[in-house]
């Protein structure tokens, strides 16, 4: 079963807002975990603010 765009969006919102998934579907859980990994990775590598040039 392929996740619909609507379901992917709902999972994305849950992952970005810090909510739990609340589903037992293995495809949804895998997509949720993939998103959480990417979010955590970008938090570690992201520059906060504007870098100084001087």
């Amino acid at each position: 079963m392929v996740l619909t765009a609507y379901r992917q969006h709902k999972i994305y919102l849950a992952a970005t807002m810090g909510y739990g998934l609340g589903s037992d579907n293995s495809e949804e859980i895998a997509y949720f975990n993939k998103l959480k990994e990417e979010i955590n990775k970008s938090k570690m590598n992201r520059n906060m603010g504007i870098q100084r040039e001087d």
Side-chain angles (χ1 to χ4, degrees):
M1 179 175 121
V2 177
L3 295 174
T4 63
Y6 174 76
R7 193 66 195 148
Q8 286 179 350
H9 182 67
K10 297 284 269 185
I11 294 169
Y12 174 79
L13 289 176
T16 56
M17 296 180 77
Y19 296 141
L21 186 58
S23 175
D24 292 334
N25 188 342
S26 61
E27 290 181 5
E28 291 179 0
I29 293 170
Y31 186 69
F32 180 79
N33 290 334
K34 182 180 122 184
L35 287 174
K36 289 297 280 186
E37 281 182 27
E38 290 178 14
I39 290 169
N40 289 334
K41 195 183 310 179
S42 71
K43 281 183 183 177
M44 296 297 196
N45 297 332
R46 181 171 55 186
N47 293 329
M48 301 299 285
I50 300 171
Q51 292 181 350
R52 294 180 64 168
E53 300 273 332
D54 56 350

